[in-house]
Amino acid sequence: MEMIANAWLVPFFPLLAFVLLVAFGRQLKESAAYVGILATAASFVVALLIFFERFGDGAKDYINTSFHWITFAGQKITMGFEVNQLNAMMLVIVTLVSMLVNIYSRGYMQGDERFPVFYQYLALFTFSMLGVVLSPNILQLYIFWELVGVCSFLLVGFYFYKPEAKAAAKKAFIVTRIGDVGLFIGLTLTFWWMGSFNYSDIFDKIQTGAVEEWKITLIGILVFIGAVGKSGQFPLHTWLPDAMEGPTPVSALIHAATMVAAGVYLVARMYDLYLASPIATEVIAYVGGFTAIFAASIGLTQRDIKRVLAYSTVSQLGYMMLALGAASAAGYVAGTFHLMTHAFFKALLFLAAGSVIHAVHTQDIFEMGGLWKKMRITGLVFLVGCLAIAGVPPFAGFWSKEEILVATLTSGHVDLFIIALIAASFTAFYMFRLFFLTFSGQARGGADAHESPGVMTMPMLVLAVLAVVAGFINTPWKPALGEWLTNGFTMFNAGEHGAEHAAPIWVTLLAVGVSVAGIALAWYMYGKGTIPKGEGGVFYRLSFRKYYIDELYNAVFVRPLRAFGKGMYVFDVWVVDGLVRLVAALTRGIGGVGARVQNGQIQTYGAIAFIGLVLLLAGLTIAGGYVEQWRTIFLQS
């Protein structure tokens, strides 16, 4: 337990890097990259040691909550860290992808005048996500959760001088805040009804039946709303594609291992609670299923290389939620397994896309083409990423997608199983549409394109290897990851550990078949060009315009709220401030009169005193008469 007890070192190194870069970044200039790289490398080494230690037989959860923060309502609220199977795996994913992104950014961001600032933000972002992962209670998670949101705002708006980047940063911050309100209400109700923020205390209360099911359902749905915002699920998905305005390494980090992964991690971490609420898990399953096919259908027609990948992220996150909504050991393992494999091949795809953008200086895939001969390494790793996300065996995405399909089918959700299959075919089509338009055919731009430097290709090659081999950690004949992840889950039935649901052969063949069909259709439409593309139809326009969701939100929410805000501004300026200004003017006027009267002339003072005396005597005379009349009336009565 030696290294597990020092798990606090994992987030400490990125935090130390952030402090050093804030203090000395301007002097370090582009050498700031080495601070970030060394910090994340140190965190990765510690995370890897913790993972292997946790993987050992008999390893138990380690909880350290020795820091007493405050006492509230008679309850001690503590801070600390916790290590279990799920977050031990997440520590490795976050630190590995962050380290590779830091290395890649050394080449991609070279020459940027805010180079040290970029690495400051990366370090803080990594620290925040690691804080989310290690938190032993939901309140501490919420603090780091919000810090992740702040970091995403800074990174998405890194090119703040571009209006699009500023708008995207504000949109990401505001839309995710909507979900965070749900999470905040959920954790508040958790403390009210269960008397604790600690995961262990919450789960104990649930298992002993101390909390009614409707309360568990309400908390579960509210917590899930927070996950919907962070993980870009419908209807709070609109910020995620716009977040592409940030530098491409940021996109890789957000979409693979940090921000969007936080929502899926939260649902998985609270899985004991969700297993006690069938209604909440149904909500998760159907929101995830709809998001998977909805986002995939939008990805079919997009022209921007990063936006295609962004909608694929939304769709794949929907897949993960769909699996977790199965409310079983199989669903839990499938969702978290896909979270791991997706982190590798999605980071690979974004970094490869960045390599392409770095070479051709455009993000429009219809202005690319013919890059396979000029960028062999980038083309090869991009192909690996496409095969993995399409679910082609033996690449990593195949194993995790198959588990999701099996978990969905065995849970009785045949409708969601069909939706997942259709979404899989869409995914294969739009990813290979992207590949063929970018790398095959004749060059439509980028005449001076060339392969990226080694500092950029090396991280891509590492991720390409992982996109090939990572799936073998949890195969149907050896579900090592599944057995390890579910070990100690008391709410799973006996015999469920390991999620050993062998996939019927027809499910495997069907899953591979729809993926191959999607790839073949993309080849004949965009590679060979023998099938008409069908651009310009009603569905194409709807998909290309993202079903007008942004326009709808703008008409229903943004414009009315903006009009309301302007009305409040007018009320504040002319009514509230007007009253304040009126009082101030009256005060100044009275003061001015007083100042003119107090002019130092004895004649004026004597006149005022005489006038005052006259007024005083007149008042007493008049008042005296009235007093005498009232006295007479009172005595007579």
Side-chain angles (χ1 to χ4, degrees):
M1 299 278 276
E2 292 181 5
M3 191 51 67
I4 290 179
N6 294 308
W8 59 271
L9 288 171
V10 181
F12 171 76
F13 290 122
L15 178 61
L16 178 63
F18 171 71
V19 173
L20 290 175
L21 290 173
V22 169
F24 306 109
R26 199 170 280 183
Q27 290 78 16
L28 289 170
K29 297 181 181 178
E30 294 199 357
S31 297
Y34 300 113
V35 177
I37 293 168
L38 289 173
T40 49
S43 293
F44 172 64
V45 170
V46 176
L48 204 59
L49 293 172
I50 291 170
F51 178 78
F52 286 126
E53 198 170 314
R54 281 293 304 161
F55 218 86
D57 294 333
K60 296 181 179 179
D61 293 354
Y62 180 87
I63 303 176
N64 184 328
T65 54
S66 56
F67 178 71
H68 175 211
W69 184 28
I70 56 174
T71 300
F72 179 74
Q75 294 288 332
K76 279 187 176 182
I77 298 177
T78 58
M79 297 290 178
F81 62 91
E82 177 181 6
V83 180
N84 52 41
Q85 287 98 316
L86 177 63
N87 64 14
M89 181 185 77
M90 285 297 298
L91 289 176
V92 174
I93 294 170
V94 174
T95 54
L96 174 58
V97 174
S98 296
M99 179 183 69
L100 294 174
V101 168
N102 271 268
I103 295 171
Y104 178 94
S105 299
R106 176 67 182 85
Y108 189 89
M109 298 298 293
Q110 188 173 15
D112 193 288
E113 61 182 14
R114 299 179 69 224
F115 190 92
V117 176
F118 179 78
Y119 273 89
Q120 291 172 23
Y121 294 166
L122 280 188
L124 186 61
F125 200 17
T126 304
F127 162 73
S128 304
M129 184 61 194
L130 292 171
V132 168
V133 170
L134 283 173
S135 295
N137 62 68
I138 195 170
L139 178 61
Q140 184 176 328
L141 175 141
Y142 183 76
I143 294 169
F144 284 105
W145 182 276
E146 292 299 324
L147 193 54
V148 165
V150 172
C151 294
S152 70
F153 172 80
L154 295 172
L155 285 166
V156 171
F158 183 77
Y159 298 130
F160 61 89
Y161 46 84
K162 294 169 56 180
E164 299 86 357
K166 288 193 292 185
K170 287 191 290 185
K171 186 175 184 180
F173 194 74
I174 293 169
V175 173
T176 54
R177 293 292 77 69
I178 297 170
D180 292 352
V181 170
L183 176 58
F184 181 76
I185 297 172
L187 68 90
T188 303
L189 292 178
T190 300
F191 187 79
W192 183 15
W193 288 333
M194 302 187 189
S196 177
F197 290 115
N198 295 330
Y199 295 123
S200 55
D201 296 337
I202 294 169
F203 299 155
D204 287 344
K205 287 284 182 73
I206 292 171
Q207 291 184 31
T208 57
V211 184
E212 296 97 320
E213 186 176 317
W214 72 270
K215 292 181 178 179
I216 296 173
T217 299
L218 181 57
I219 291 171
I221 291 174
L222 287 168
V223 169
F224 177 62
I225 290 172
V228 165
K230 274 289 190 289
S231 290
Q233 299 295 281
F234 182 87
L236 300 180
H237 66 285
T238 55
W239 69 269
L240 196 51
D242 288 0
M244 298 301 95
E245 293 297 335
T248 302
V250 172
S251 303
L253 199 55
I254 288 177
H255 286 249
T258 52
M259 187 163 175
V260 298
V264 178
Y265 171 79
L266 175 61
V267 174
R269 187 65 189 88
M270 298 288 287
Y271 213 56
D272 286 83
L273 181 143
Y274 286 112
L275 288 173
S277 174
I279 295 176
T281 52
E282 286 288 298
V283 170
I284 294 171
Y286 279 95
V287 169
F290 179 78
T291 302
I293 194 167
F294 176 77
S297 68
I298 296 175
L300 297 173
T301 58
Q302 300 305 302
R303 296 175 61 102
D304 187 307
I305 186 171
K306 289 174 68 176
R307 283 187 180 270
V308 175
L309 296 179
Y311 279 107
S312 78
T313 298
V314 176
S315 180
Q316 296 305 305
L317 291 165
Y319 255 103
M320 297 172 210
M321 292 298 188
L322 169 61
L324 292 170
S328 64
Y332 175 78
V333 171
T336 52
F337 182 29
H338 197 58
L339 178 62
M340 180 190 75
T341 59
H342 176 264
F344 297 143
F345 60 68
K346 185 50 61 68
L348 168 61
L349 286 166
F350 266 109
L351 296 187
S355 179
V356 170
I357 296 167
H358 188 262
V360 300
H361 309 294
T362 182
Q363 294 181 197
D364 190 337
I365 56 178
F366 285 88
E367 295 178 6
M368 299 179 188
L371 293 178
W372 181 265
K373 296 177 182 179
K374 300 177 181 179
M375 306 180 71
R376 286 294 175 88
I377 297 176
T378 299
L380 178 62
V381 297
F382 201 94
L383 177 61
V384 169
C386 288
L387 290 168
I389 196 172
V392 175
F395 296 89
F398 163 74
W399 305 105
S400 54
K401 275 194 176 183
E402 184 186 54
E403 291 231 7
I404 292 173
L405 292 171
V406 173
T408 305
L409 186 62
T410 54
S411 69
H413 294 94
V414 178
D415 51 348
L416 291 177
F417 173 77
I418 295 171
I419 287 174
L421 278 176
I422 297 171
S425 66
F426 285 178
T427 301
F429 174 82
Y430 67 66
M431 287 308 303
F432 276 87
R433 167 184 177 266
L434 175 60
F435 177 79
F436 293 135
L437 285 172
T438 304
F439 291 98
S440 69
Q442 297 298 316
R444 296 179 295 276
D448 58 343
H450 56 83
E451 189 57 85
S452 298
V455 72
M456 293 172 65
T457 56
M458 187 275 286
M460 293 192 293
L461 289 169
V462 173
L463 289 167
V465 172
L466 291 170
V468 175
V469 305
F472 290 100
I473 197 173
N474 198 66
T475 59
W477 61 85
K478 183 61 178 175
L481 181 67
E483 292 173 352
W484 177 69
L485 282 172
T486 55
N487 183 28
F489 242 114
T490 57
M491 294 193 74
F492 289 141
N493 297 325
E496 274 194 306
H497 290 183
E500 295 143 348
H501 293 286
I505 187 65
W506 67 268
V507 173
T508 303
L509 293 175
L510 193 57
V512 175
V514 297
S515 295
V516 171
I519 295 170
L521 183 60
W523 164 247
Y524 282 112
M525 288 179 70
Y526 293 96
K528 205 171 181 181
T530 55
I531 298 179
K533 298 178 178 60
E535 298 175 1
V538 175
F539 174 74
Y540 183 92
R541 289 198 300 272
L542 282 173
S543 171
F544 184 72
R545 295 303 300 268
K546 300 157 284 186
Y547 298 100
Y548 297 93
I549 296 295
D550 280 316
E551 289 82 356
L552 176 65
Y553 288 175
N554 191 49
V556 176
F557 299 110
V558 177
R559 288 180 183 172
L561 287 172
R562 186 175 290 155
F564 177 76
K566 287 182 178 177
M568 290 295 99
Y569 173 78
V570 171
F571 179 81
D572 181 56
V573 170
W574 294 102
V575 179
V576 177
D577 283 356
L579 289 172
V580 172
R581 288 193 295 269
L582 177 61
V583 172
L586 288 172
T587 304
R588 283 196 302 269
I590 294 170
V593 171
R596 284 193 293 272
V597 170
Q598 301 290 334
N599 57 11
Q601 294 182 358
I602 297 176
Q603 298 92 325
T604 303
Y605 294 163
I608 291 172
F610 177 75
I611 293 170
L613 180 61
V614 170
L615 292 173
L616 178 63
L617 291 173
L620 289 174
T621 302
I622 295 170
Y626 280 115
V627 171
E628 187 62 30
Q629 286 181 354
W630 282 105
R631 181 174 176 274
T632 303
I633 293 170
F634 178 75
L635 290 174
Q636 289 176 353
S637 62

